Amino acid sequence: MISIVIPAHNEEQRIRKTLESYGSFFVEKKKKKEIKNFEILVVINNTQDRTEEIVKDISKKYSEIKHLNFKQGGKGFAIIQGFKDALKRNNELIGFVDADMATPPEAFYDLIKNIRNYGGIIADRWHKKSVILPKQSFFRRFISRAYNLLVRSLFLLPFKDTQCGAKLFKRNILEKNLNKLVTSNWGFDIALLYCLRKESKARIKSIPTLWHDEAGSRINLKKTPVRMFASCIRLRLIHSPFKFVVRAYRKLPEGLKIH
């Protein structure tokens, strides 16, 4: 059985399209016996809009769609809660994908087909065979590549793209490491990959993908890069003898913090 976790924060404008697309695609795969069974687990977090109402409505059509609702927010928190819930059932493959459907269901299915004997598999937007639509601006590409260079330098990760919101893992890998994961929002993907490789020596494969730069993105191109870089440095400090610096940072007034 496959569990697809979708973190959702104020996604009333996009969640219906995503769930309709993923629901119909994987129901068809199940009918053709290309997969045995699946679930789509929407983890609603710190939402003030109609996201839950919409998810409940679509779940009447697709019994495979389930949801959790938390007052606490953050992508990392939502995904970890989704992992915990998915592990309560007989899910052998557990992954996550962004709610905006930047990764279409056929691209996520590529992860399922190619995981094979690996502990995990991730989508790589910067692979030479990947397709990104529409073509990203020079500034976005520059920020993404610069960030990846920092990540690879600090954490010695071999991946060209740690941030693409489409990842899939074997059950046993997550079970061993769930309590070690850091919920950092901007750095969650890095924390996840670093933990799995460091703690379990997990073999994680990256493959080319199809990725749509969806309209409606809430990314602030002025503030987000700063927060991402700061989160990356913070995460590296947590996994070093200098983690006391992070403890000191947490005690600072909120007005002095940048992420």
Side-chain angles (χ1 to χ4, degrees):
M1 186 165 165
I2 302 158
S3 182
I4 305 171
V5 176
I6 302 180
H9 169 69
N10 291 338
E11 289 289 353
E12 66 176 13
Q13 299 298 321
R14 305 187 290 190
I15 196 66
R16 183 180 295 277
K17 177 183 176 183
T18 299
L19 294 181
E20 286 282 5
S21 182
Y22 268 76
S24 61
F25 180 89
F26 282 100
V27 163
E28 189 63 24
K29 290 295 180 186
K30 184 178 175 181
K31 286 180 180 178
K32 292 179 179 179
K33 297 184 179 180
E34 294 178 24
I35 60 172
K36 291 183 178 179
N37 207 348
F38 76 98
E39 67 175 20
I40 297 172
L41 180 58
V42 184
V43 185
I44 303 165
N45 60 99
N46 193 28
T47 291
Q48 289 82 43
D49 65 2
R50 296 175 55 250
T51 298
E52 183 175 30
E53 179 184 335
I54 294 169
V55 173
K56 285 182 177 179
D57 183 55
I58 299 177
S59 65
K60 295 175 184 176
K61 181 177 179 181
Y62 299 103
S63 60
E64 295 88 355
I65 295 177
K66 312 174 188 300
H67 79 280
L68 305 172
N69 197 345
F70 295 94
K71 291 183 179 180
Q72 185 173 337
K75 175 183 174 179
F77 169 81
I79 293 173
I80 289 175
Q81 295 305 315
F83 284 170
K84 288 179 179 179
D85 192 73
L87 286 169
K88 295 177 182 178
R89 294 174 292 282
N90 189 31
N91 290 300
E92 291 304 318
L93 295 177
I94 302 172
F96 65 88
V97 69
D98 289 340
D100 60 3
M101 213 171 74
T103 299
E106 57 267 29
F108 195 89
Y109 184 60
D110 282 341
L111 299 181
I112 296 170
K113 289 190 301 180
N114 288 285
I115 192 167
R116 297 170 187 166
N117 294 322
Y118 290 90
I121 187 168
I122 65 177
D124 178 0
R125 294 167 296 180
W126 306 123
H127 192 285
K128 62 182 180 180
K129 293 184 179 180
S130 291
V131 177
I132 300 178
L133 300 171
K135 188 176 180 179
Q136 287 188 312
S137 68
F138 171 79
F139 181 71
R140 277 183 177 249
R141 292 200 306 272
F142 174 78
I143 291 296
S144 181
R145 296 300 177 88
Y147 183 67
N148 182 255
L149 178 61
L150 178 66
V151 169
R152 296 177 76 175
S153 300
L154 291 178
F155 297 93
L156 302 180
L157 292 174
F159 312 113
K160 293 180 180 179
D161 185 5
T162 57
Q163 301 309 110
C164 186
K167 296 177 173 66
L168 183 69
F169 304 97
K170 296 281 182 66
R171 176 190 185 92
N172 65 313
I173 292 294
L174 292 180
E175 280 182 320
K176 292 177 184 176
N177 298 285
L178 194 59
N179 64 338
K180 303 170 189 173
L181 297 181
V182 178
T183 61
S184 172
N185 288 338
W186 297 108
F188 173 74
D189 295 78
I190 305 166
L192 174 62
L193 295 173
Y194 183 74
C195 177
L196 297 185
R197 282 175 58 84
K198 179 183 177 183
E199 300 294 340
S200 293
K201 303 294 187 288
R203 294 173 65 237
I204 299 174
K205 181 180 182 180
S206 63
I207 63 170
T209 191
L210 169 62
W211 191 77
H212 295 280
D213 194 356
E214 290 294 321
S217 172
R218 301 186 186 90
I219 293 178
N220 185 312
L221 291 180
K222 292 182 179 179
K223 294 182 179 180
T224 297
V226 176
R227 290 171 175 169
M228 289 175 65
F229 278 86
S231 182
C232 187
I233 298 298
R234 172 181 173 273
L235 184 61
R236 190 66 191 93
L237 288 171
I238 289 174
H239 293 283
S240 78
F242 302 99
K243 56 186 175 183
F244 66 88
V245 175
V246 178
R247 289 196 293 267
Y249 175 81
R250 288 172 180 163
K251 296 178 181 180
L252 291 175
E254 286 300 317
L256 297 179
K257 296 180 180 179
I258 58 176
H259 74 289

